[in-house]
Amino acid sequence: MTHITSQEMSETEMMLSGYGLTFAEFTYRMPDYKNVLNSFSWQLFDLAPDYPKLFKFIEFWQENIEGPLHHVRFSHRKMIAPGEWRNCVGEFTVH
């Protein structure tokens, strides 16, 4: 059995597989001006409750970017819940 990564799936396939839209706002200190806070917004499809992509990005930030994180705020919303989607095989137009 082959494993399909999220990079190989369309957005619809990801949503049907349980992925939801995750929005994160990173507030960080400027490297040369420690008293100045700046923000960076990021949005992607990720899996709750573990958020593997979000935490991988946070690790990348801490290892490779000079501006230390002050805090991260994020929200997550499943775009398609099981009760909101149904397969429609046909459509009839009534006058």
Side-chain angles (χ1 to χ4, degrees):
M1 179 176 195
T2 60
H3 177 70
I4 298 175
T5 65
S6 61
Q7 294 174 344
E8 298 169 348
M9 289 193 274
S10 70
E11 288 183 2
T12 305
E13 290 172 324
M14 290 173 69
M15 287 186 281
L16 292 173
S17 298
Y19 282 81
L21 190 60
T22 302
F23 175 81
E25 179 185 26
F26 298 85
T27 303
Y28 61 97
R29 297 190 183 278
M30 297 296 290
D32 296 335
Y33 304 97
K34 298 293 182 186
N35 294 329
V36 177
L37 292 175
N38 203 357
S39 68
F40 172 73
S41 299
W42 194 55
Q43 179 176 299
L44 75 156
F45 284 100
D46 210 351
L47 284 169
D50 296 329
Y51 304 102
K53 291 182 180 182
L54 176 62
F55 287 112
K56 185 175 180 180
F57 183 75
I58 291 172
E59 288 174 10
F60 170 82
W61 184 294
Q62 292 173 333
E63 293 171 3
N64 299 300
I65 297 179
E66 291 182 24
L69 286 172
H70 181 265
H71 70 269
V72 177
R73 182 173 32 185
F74 70 96
S75 63
H76 179 84
R77 168 115 166 58
K78 281 194 172 188
M79 303 303 286
I80 299 177
E84 297 174 353
W85 184 86
R86 65 183 181 153
N87 187 18
C88 188
V89 239
E91 182 176 327
F92 297 98
T93 305
V94 179
H95 297 305

